[in-house]
Amino acid sequence: MAKAQAPKSLGALRKLPSVDEVMRHAVAVAAAERFGRSATVAAVREAIAEARASGEADDADAFAAAATARLEKQAEPNLKPVFNLTGTVLHTNLGRALIAEAAVEAATVAMRNAVALEFDLGGGKRGERDELVRDLLCELTGAEDATIVNNNAAAVLLTLNTFAKGKESIVSRGELIEIGGAFRMPDIMSRAGTKLVEIGTTNRTHMKDYVGAIGDSTGLILKVHTSNYRIEGFTKEVPARDLAKLAHEHKVPLVNDLGSGTLVDLTRYGLKHEPTVAEAVAEGADLVTFSGDKLLGGPQTGFIVGRKDLIGKLNKNPMKRALRVDKIRLAMIEATLRLYRDPDRLTQTLPTYRLLARPVKDMQAVAARIVPALKEKLGRNYKVESKPCSSQVGSGAMPVETLPSLAVSIAPVVKGGGRLNALSNALRKLPVPVVGRIEKDALLFDLRCLEDVDGFLANLAKLEAP
Ligand SMILES: *Cc1c(COP(=O)(O)O)cnc(C)c1O
């Protein structure tokens, strides 16, 4: 080895055990059993190197323990489950929809086995993977045909590229959305190779604006559901029915990007109405695009449903191959869609609906258990109380409407001084990180998505409150 940097104390250096010596220690033997010999040797080596650099002496005992701690830390998954107490049910940064049990089981089967993914079991010939869920999608949306891609952003990209590459796409200025991250409608358009033709104004777009823009170079008319914001007041948009008529007179498709989209009328679960995919199809859209992991409550997916001839063209675009989904997701999609055949039971079978429709009295029962535990854990430095709050659907669905909910509010008795931030940091560092939201001078835990109360309390016991 090259000459190491000068140790702070030569005496200490002489006392350092060798890697072999530490590896013979019972604790290191146990670590090698758990994590493998080579990873354990590496961890021991690192622990000794650290001591050498800092000039601190330690014995084999301590190095074996330090190496084990290192290995345990490395073994923790980077993708950790968290308690989502943000009050946003479909939180994009926390993974959106929870998957239904039926879909988890279907995915497990698909993962462990060879499956008839593109294999026609009747004829024994090559089949098509989207075939597996096409009938279900058509049944639930009233569309003629359907195709499936990686997510809704991909669905929009594929649609624009297939029907408007080298041509123009007409969109109202009131619908030029940014979904967050890099999904901005104008950017997607340019990547799809289509020219954006913006018409109307932010708050008002008229039929005459569409009529003035449509012509020989038009590839399609795009209608975008302004899923994550609302323009209110002096507004005007052209109904999809009228746009469909105009599009068909000019022999171009009307595409409706619904964003979240839902397969059932949400008012039956006490929620606000959100346009359903079936409604968009019935209004005359030739193609409708929507997400799998928003209100639909499934895995990340992009659905495109609509006219058979157009879906056929989408499937022939080579981009489709790059955007297709794998067997695991198809298994989840099929199982999730099947649940919609029994809409009366969706609040039991689909976690997204269970959480959205959760009654406040459920949250009160949760509060009754966790408020005393939090009071005891946090001591006199904090005021802990339950109070009404508002949850959101999230992922851009129903941006304005909120759901009445219940929160636990944690406020430091002495305001300022950074205690609130320190507490929310400590909560994020727990074995199962707890993510709430800070509102005014308090940390709020919205209890809507807290179902595993025992798990929450066991986790809380490990908190060292600042
Ligand atoms: C969310 C959304 C998208 C993007 O969908 P992803 O599934 O997140 O890719 C596109 N358009 C609209 C209107 C949306 O709401």
Side-chain angles (χ1 to χ4, degrees):
M1 238 218 239
K3 222 167 151 192
Q5 75 190 88
K8 290 199 187 96
S9 144
L10 273 174
L13 181 61
R14 247 175 259 124
K15 278 189 227 130
L16 291 179
S18 70
V19 173
D20 281 345
E21 242 171 280
V22 179
M23 285 301 289
R24 280 195 296 272
H25 196 277
V27 173
V29 170
E33 194 66 35
R34 275 172 75 194
F35 302 103
R37 193 178 153 78
S38 57
T40 308
V41 168
V44 168
R45 194 164 278 143
E46 282 163 24
I48 295 175
E50 218 165 65
R52 180 174 294 125
S54 66
E56 271 154 37
D58 249 328
D59 53 12
D61 233 24
F63 284 122
T68 304
R70 216 172 253 272
L71 289 161
E72 274 167 354
K73 188 97 200 113
Q74 287 167 358
E76 276 176 25
N78 290 330
L79 184 61
K80 282 197 181 113
V82 303
F83 283 106
N84 171 13
L85 307 188
T86 60
T88 301
V89 176
L90 298 168
H91 198 300
T92 297
N93 307 127
L94 300 180
R96 290 194 183 165
L98 307 184
I99 301 296
E101 264 329 293
V104 171
E105 279 166 30
T108 308
V109 172
M111 282 191 276
R112 295 211 166 110
N113 296 282
V115 290
L117 180 64
E118 294 183 340
F119 190 81
D120 166 21
L121 290 171
K125 290 196 291 287
R126 189 164 190 274
E128 221 218 291
R129 64 179 66 199
D130 292 351
E131 201 76 58
L132 298 165
V133 289
R134 176 172 295 142
D135 288 350
L136 262 172
L137 275 169
C138 293
E139 176 190 318
L140 296 168
T141 64
E144 280 174 16
D145 204 351
T147 193
I148 298 160
V149 287
N150 179 55
N151 57 13
N152 190 34
V156 173
L157 178 70
L158 180 66
T159 304
L160 293 170
N161 181 266
T162 306
F163 300 106
K165 184 166 169 264
K167 292 183 176 172
E168 296 175 351
S169 298
I170 301 175
V171 191
S172 158
R173 287 200 171 87
E175 299 173 0
L176 283 174
I177 56 164
E178 173 181 312
I179 295 298
F183 189 89
R184 286 178 152 193
M185 205 41 100
D187 299 337
I188 293 279
M189 293 239 171
S190 81
R191 288 295 167 139
T194 182
K195 183 166 171 249
L196 166 65
V197 176
E198 305 173 34
I199 56 162
T201 60
T202 307
N203 57 330
R204 288 171 74 84
T205 301
H206 304 269
M207 191 53 158
K208 62 175 191 268
D209 298 320
Y210 285 96
V211 172
I214 201 162
D216 292 342
S217 33
T218 304
L220 57 80
I221 299 179
L222 180 65
K223 183 159 184 58
V224 186
H225 179 47
T226 54
S227 54
N228 56 0
Y229 65 99
R230 191 124 316 157
I231 298 175
E232 283 173 354
F234 186 53
T235 64
K236 167 133 181 74
E237 65 171 311
V238 181
R241 262 177 218 291
D242 301 342
L243 284 185
K245 216 180 279 167
L246 177 72
H248 299 156
E249 275 163 23
H250 288 82
K251 301 204 161 30
V252 296
L254 170 67
V255 177
N256 191 343
D257 176 22
L258 268 192
S260 184
T262 154
L263 297 175
V264 285
D265 180 4
L266 294 178
T267 55
R268 63 189 293 167
Y269 309 106
L271 302 167
K272 291 272 159 47
H273 182 79
E274 174 82 4
T276 67
V277 181
E279 281 164 11
V281 169
E283 280 165 3
D286 299 286
L287 292 171
V288 181
T289 60
F290 56 103
S291 291
D293 54 354
K294 293 185 181 174
L295 278 169
L296 199 143
Q300 180 188 301
T301 318
F303 295 103
I304 313 172
V305 302
R307 259 167 55 193
K308 198 169 197 69
D309 58 329
L310 303 181
I311 297 288
K313 285 190 178 139
L314 287 167
N315 284 334
K316 286 204 189 78
N317 186 332
M319 264 193 187
K320 168 71 204 296
R321 174 64 174 72
L323 301 172
R324 74 181 185 189
V325 298
D326 69 305
K327 65 169 182 175
I328 306 167
R329 265 199 286 168
L330 266 169
M332 290 194 272
I333 293 164
E334 183 185 357
T336 306
L337 290 176
R338 246 176 236 293
L339 299 175
Y340 280 88
R341 301 185 98 179
D342 185 3
D344 297 335
R345 262 201 287 252
L346 279 178
T347 54
Q348 292 147 53
T349 56
L350 204 59
T352 298
Y353 282 64
R354 184 177 74 225
L355 294 172
L356 289 176
R358 195 173 186 198
V360 173
K361 71 169 172 33
D362 259 34
M363 275 94 90
Q364 283 163 346
V366 175
R369 291 189 62 198
I370 74 165
V371 167
L374 279 163
K375 277 188 173 152
E376 194 186 314
K377 192 75 202 178
L378 296 174
R380 278 180 305 182
N381 289 329
Y382 298 87
K383 182 169 183 214
V384 179
E385 59 188 341
S386 63
K387 60 184 222 183
C389 73
S390 302
S391 320
Q392 293 186 328
V393 175
S395 282
M398 301 194 251
V400 186
E401 293 83 0
T402 53
L403 311 165
S405 184
L406 190 73
V408 172
S409 157
I410 303 168
V413 172
V414 181
K415 296 210 189 329
R419 183 166 260 156
L420 199 55
N421 277 328
L423 177 65
S424 69
N425 278 336
L427 286 158
R428 280 200 305 272
K429 296 217 166 64
L430 284 172
V432 184
V434 178
V435 189
R437 67 174 194 262
I438 290 182
E439 220 172 78
K440 294 191 190 115
D441 292 315
L443 178 63
L444 286 192
F445 288 165
D446 187 320
L447 302 179
R448 176 172 298 276
C449 298
L450 179 53
E451 297 187 290
D452 177 14
V453 179
D454 291 338
F456 180 85
L457 293 174
N459 189 50
L460 184 69
K462 306 208 173 76
L463 178 73
E464 284 176 37

